[in-house]
Amino acid sequence: MIDRLTREYGHGTNSPDPASLALRVFLDDERATPEGWVRVYWPNEAIDLLETNAVAEISLDHDLGNDQRGTGYDVVLWIEEAVALHGFKPPKVDVHSANSSARQKMEAGIQAIEQRVSGSKGKP
C-alpha cells in the first residue's frame, strides 16, 4: 500500500521518503472519505501505514463490518504498545465512531497514549 501512496503523492521520478508524506488516514467501512485523506478499510492496513512513520493524523471508526478482522480499537492498542515498547511517535488520533461505548473506550486509550508521550518528554 505504501508503494501505491508513494507513487500517487510522489513528485517526478524521485518519490519522497514515506516519512515525508504526512498522510491523513481514514479507517472506515462505510462513510465517505474526506478530501485529502487516504482511505483504509481494515486495522492491518492502518497499522501498515503507521509503521512507515508517514502518518500525521488518523481518524478511526470502531465497527468495520467484520470484528474477526479487527476494529478501530485494535489500532489504538497497537499505537499504545508501539509508544510504550518502541518509542513510537504517534500521529494525531481522532475517533469518528457512532458506537458510543466503543468511542469512550478508544478515547480512553488515546488519552493513555497522550499521557505516556507527554510523560516521556525530556527523558533520555
Side-chain angles (χ1 to χ4, degrees), residues 29-107:
D29 62 324
E30 293 182 351
R31 291 174 187 82
T33 307
E35 188 173 332
W37 290 70
V38 175
R39 169 70 162 272
V40 294
Y41 293 88
W42 302 110
N44 65 302
E45 295 171 329
I47 291 166
D48 286 348
L49 290 175
L50 287 165
E51 288 177 330
T52 69
N53 294 314
V55 178
E57 185 173 358
I58 189 164
S59 186
L60 305 170
D61 184 18
H62 181 272
D63 302 322
L64 301 171
N66 182 347
D67 287 354
Q68 302 259 329
R69 289 197 64 183
T71 68
Y73 186 60
D74 294 317
V75 178
V76 173
L77 292 176
W78 182 90
I79 293 170
E80 189 171 16
E81 181 178 303
V83 167
L85 300 180
H86 307 294
F88 178 72
K89 292 181 177 38
K92 181 179 186 296
V93 183
D94 295 307
V95 178
H96 62 262
S97 180
N99 180 332
S100 61
S101 62
R103 171 188 279 276
Q104 290 175 341
K105 182 170 67 169
M106 293 169 74
E107 288 174 345

